[in-house]
Amino acid sequence: MSQQPGKSFDIDMKQWRNCMLADPFFNKSDRIDLIIGGDIYADIMEKGQKRVSGPFSQQTKLGWIVSGALSNGISKVEKVQVAATNLERFWEVEEVEAEDQCTNDDQWCMQNFEKSTVIRDDGRLMVSLPFKADMELGESKPQAMARFLNGEKKLEKYPSLKAEYITFMREYRELGHMVQVPMEMKGKYYLPHQAVIREDSRTTKVRVVFDASAKTSNQRSLNDIMHTGPKLQRDIFDIMLKWRLWKYVLTGDVEKMYRQIVVRPEDQEYQYILWRENRAEPIKQYRLTTVTYGTSAAPFLAVRSLFMIGDYCKEEMVKNIIKEDIYMDDLMTGADTVKGSQHILQSVAQQLQKFNFHLRKWISNDPKITEIVENRGRNEVISIKDDESIKTLGVGWDPNMDHFRFNVSFSHPSQMTKRKVLSLVARIFDPLGWLSPITVVAKLIVQKLWLLNIDWDETIPEEILTQWLEFANHLDSLHKIKIPRWLFRRVRESIFRSNIH
């Protein structure tokens, strides 16, 4: 239980107790354990204290709490244990985050962007990397060379993957997103790179990502000397909820969004890479000229660039859509009419195109909306077959039937370990909590693994393995769950009325 800064803590104990008693699984004789953050400790204190030969009890808004040392006659097994030490990593992802507070570093990042960003003659935005005051780095080229040679050797074993890797890098070079520099020139930081395979992607299955967290000889990386920048976009929860309010919806994807933003030349010295297409050629070095996926400031620079593009828009509605209905490179918006949706599609696409941000992969729940899209290639409009779904911000959506779907299935490794269990559980993405009655089973299994202090790569006990297999085998049934995307007008109007009042 945590408190947002600046907000008072108050609990209606009667209401809370009634809620607990209404739970059919709650036994009145049960003890209730709560983990309370130190930030609200002073707010829950009330008058009333007791001390009985050692332990000290204090009255609070939640009832009596006990603290202090226990007598030496009590065994260690009977001592109070802190549950957070056993479940720290698992439960951290469940904590509701407080609203982000703008720090001095965040303010500096915003001011630096506003002062240094320029619009080039070709319409592209050119930004500076938000470096910290201490920018000292050690040698990075030897480590980058070792990782490149190792990765090259691995690619030789997978010809199809190597071919896609080469295709990706050729495109990078042909688009001018990386330029060759003489080997005698020395970059200030060399980025190792590797392939990431995305099986669920409808276009590029293999993407090359760059490791800006690779340590140099002084144990610092590029990300270590760079500010991350403030979080500017709304949460997925808010965007998804808003998306359910329109009768007609559409989605789009900003093509290569990061790479449409140019990095100023002096900062490109921190974005060197090593590359060659085959081992018969000499290794060459290149300089990446655009915002690079893998650098800590890339999300901030991309989103702040979008906001800047929105600010240059004269139409208030389009401005708000660019600022509020895009999550990273995914547009999710809509309207109550087909014509309204078509206007949004054209207006938003035209505004972004002025700055070389090309929207594509259009999908809508009404095909008439995307009929107006100019055909510039096979990825302009995505056609979805009947009973097929696509991922929208990680959630399955069937645009033909206009409902959300879930397709989750787990493989069964020969040896199940705690690491593999957690990896599989993390694949269940459920930002709106629809699957909570199901995922709670997985969370309880993970909790048991933590309480048993099982090592990461140790085979889990037979009893827990049986529970896990029973849970995993039933996940195939999730495809039967279908949740309507549109909440209907009357629901939407009631929400707006409640916000107004």
Side-chain angles (χ1 to χ4, degrees):
M1 187 176 294
S2 60
Q3 178 193 21
Q4 293 185 7
K7 294 188 177 181
S8 62
F9 182 86
D10 189 21
I11 288 182
D12 186 336
M13 280 299 299
K14 183 177 181 181
Q15 182 180 11
W16 178 75
R17 197 180 302 275
N18 288 339
C19 289
M20 292 299 297
L21 294 176
D23 188 339
F25 297 101
F26 176 70
N27 189 325
K28 294 181 181 179
S29 62
D30 287 345
R31 184 188 70 191
I32 301 172
D33 295 328
L34 296 175
I35 299 176
I36 301 174
D39 56 337
I40 66 170
Y41 182 81
D43 292 322
I44 66 173
M45 291 297 103
E46 290 190 339
K47 295 181 179 179
Q49 298 176 353
K50 295 180 182 179
R51 180 184 295 274
V52 182
S53 65
F56 174 81
S57 57
Q58 170 73 53
Q59 176 71 293
T60 73
K61 293 180 180 180
L62 297 175
W64 290 91
I65 61 173
V66 180
S67 61
L70 298 173
S71 63
N72 294 332
I74 301 177
S75 67
K76 293 182 179 179
V77 177
E78 296 172 312
K79 288 187 177 181
V80 177
Q81 298 180 352
V82 181
T85 59
N86 294 322
L87 301 171
E88 51 186 343
R89 292 190 61 185
F90 175 70
W91 294 119
E92 277 174 3
V93 300
E94 297 299 308
E95 184 175 351
V96 178
E97 295 182 2
E99 295 180 4
D100 291 342
Q101 301 297 307
C102 190
T103 65
N104 291 334
D105 289 342
D106 291 342
Q107 292 175 353
W108 181 89
C109 286
M110 296 290 285
Q111 294 169 359
N112 178 68
F113 182 94
E114 293 167 3
K115 290 188 297 185
S116 62
T117 301
V118 298
I119 302 175
R120 304 197 316 179
D121 293 339
D122 62 358
R124 297 183 188 274
L125 273 61
M126 184 168 68
V127 302
S128 65
L129 299 182
F131 288 114
K132 298 177 181 178
D134 183 4
M135 298 169 55
E136 184 178 355
L137 289 173
E139 289 289 330
S140 59
K141 188 173 182 179
Q143 295 92 321
M145 178 69 76
R147 286 184 58 175
F148 171 73
L149 294 174
N150 185 49
E152 184 181 50
K153 189 181 299 182
K154 291 181 179 179
L155 283 176
E156 293 294 332
K157 301 177 182 178
Y158 305 98
S160 60
L161 176 60
K162 179 182 177 181
E164 292 194 56
Y165 204 111
I166 291 173
T167 299
F168 187 99
M169 297 299 281
R170 280 181 181 174
E171 181 194 56
Y172 224 101
R173 185 178 65 247
E174 291 167 359
L175 293 175
H177 298 165
M178 72 180 194
V179 295
Q180 186 176 350
V181 293
M183 285 298 287
E184 57 267 22
M185 292 182 63
K186 185 177 180 181
K188 295 180 179 179
Y189 185 82
Y190 287 80
L191 291 152
H193 50 89
Q194 63 189 44
V196 171
I197 302 173
R198 302 182 301 165
E199 293 293 346
D200 59 344
S201 174
R202 291 181 171 271
T203 52
T204 307
K205 297 291 184 182
V206 175
R207 171 186 288 180
V208 177
V209 297
F210 302 91
D211 184 7
S213 295
K215 301 296 184 181
T216 65
S217 58
N218 72 347
Q219 297 304 306
R220 302 183 75 195
S221 68
L222 177 60
N223 282 343
D224 290 334
I225 65 168
M226 187 186 303
H227 292 294
T228 302
K231 176 186 173 184
L232 300 177
Q233 289 189 314
R234 301 168 65 188
D235 292 332
I236 291 180
F237 181 93
D238 296 333
I239 293 177
M240 291 288 292
L241 191 60
K242 181 181 178 182
W243 198 58
R244 301 187 68 194
L245 302 178
W246 292 297
K247 181 177 181 179
Y248 299 98
V249 292
L250 61 153
T251 69
D253 171 83
V254 182
E255 184 178 15
K256 302 177 179 64
M257 187 171 83
Y258 285 10
R259 289 159 56 187
Q260 307 310 323
I261 307 167
V262 180
V263 172
R264 65 178 182 176
E266 55 265 42
D267 291 349
Q268 293 175 18
E269 297 299 312
Y270 291 87
Q271 297 189 154
Y272 272 51
I273 68 165
L274 302 170
W275 171 245
R276 65 180 175 188
E277 291 191 1
N278 63 74
R279 302 175 75 174
E281 300 175 351
I283 295 177
K284 306 179 183 68
Q285 66 178 13
Y286 296 84
R287 186 179 70 242
L288 305 184
T289 63
T290 61
V291 171
T292 301
Y293 186 83
T295 55
S296 59
F300 161 72
L301 293 172
V303 175
R304 185 61 185 85
S305 296
L306 273 179
F307 279 26
M308 182 175 177
I309 293 172
D311 288 334
Y312 274 88
C313 184
K314 296 180 180 179
E315 188 174 352
E316 191 69 19
M317 181 192 68
V318 176
K319 172 183 176 180
N320 291 335
I321 289 174
I322 292 175
K323 286 190 169 187
E324 297 177 5
D325 296 350
I326 298 180
Y327 188 85
M328 296 313 300
D329 57 353
D330 292 317
L331 170 68
M332 293 182 63
T333 189
D336 289 327
T337 63
V338 171
K339 285 188 177 181
S341 299
Q342 290 176 334
H343 174 72
I344 289 173
L345 188 154
Q346 286 182 320
S347 302
V348 174
Q350 289 172 1
Q351 178 65 15
L352 293 179
Q353 193 66 55
K354 294 176 183 178
F355 299 85
N356 286 277
F357 280 44
H358 175 57
L359 272 170
R360 58 171 190 163
K361 296 184 183 179
W362 291 103
I363 303 175
S364 176
N365 61 339
D366 191 319
K368 291 193 293 292
I369 296 173
T370 55
E371 285 177 351
I372 65 172
V373 176
E374 181 184 353
N375 187 12
R376 295 176 52 176
R378 64 184 180 90
N379 293 327
E380 290 304 299
V381 178
I382 302 297
S383 178
I384 304 297
K385 299 177 182 178
D386 291 340
D387 202 36
E388 186 180 10
S389 63
I390 55 104
K391 286 288 185 70
T392 306
L393 295 188
V395 179
W397 174 54
D398 180 349
N400 296 318
M401 300 301 295
D402 201 12
H403 57 222
F404 295 110
R405 300 175 57 180
F406 303 93
N407 291 306
V408 181
S409 61
F410 290 160
S411 59
H412 299 300
S414 57
Q415 183 184 21
M416 283 301 300
T417 64
K418 184 170 75 172
R419 187 187 305 276
K420 290 177 180 177
V421 168
L422 288 174
S423 175
L424 292 171
V425 171
R427 289 170 52 188
I428 305 177
F429 185 66
D430 181 31
L432 295 181
W434 287 317
L435 302 181
S436 294
I438 299 167
T439 56
V440 70
V441 177
K443 294 173 183 178
L444 290 173
I445 293 174
V446 172
Q447 184 185 48
K448 290 178 180 178
L449 294 176
W450 277 103
L451 293 173
L452 290 173
N453 288 322
I454 295 175
D455 292 336
W456 283 104
D457 297 308
E458 180 183 346
T459 303
I460 65 178
E462 189 67 28
E463 179 184 356
I464 297 182
L465 176 60
T466 301
Q467 296 175 19
W468 170 259
L469 291 176
E470 183 180 2
F471 165 77
N473 289 334
H474 283 83
L475 286 178
D476 289 337
S477 301
L478 287 179
H479 75 276
K480 299 178 182 179
I481 300 177
K482 299 177 181 180
I483 299 176
R485 194 273 316 161
W486 189 36
L487 289 175
F488 305 107
R489 179 181 298 273
R490 61 179 180 273
V491 177
R492 186 190 63 177
E493 290 176 346
S494 67
I495 293 174
F496 285 156
R497 282 197 299 269
S498 63
N499 288 338
I500 291 173
H501 296 297

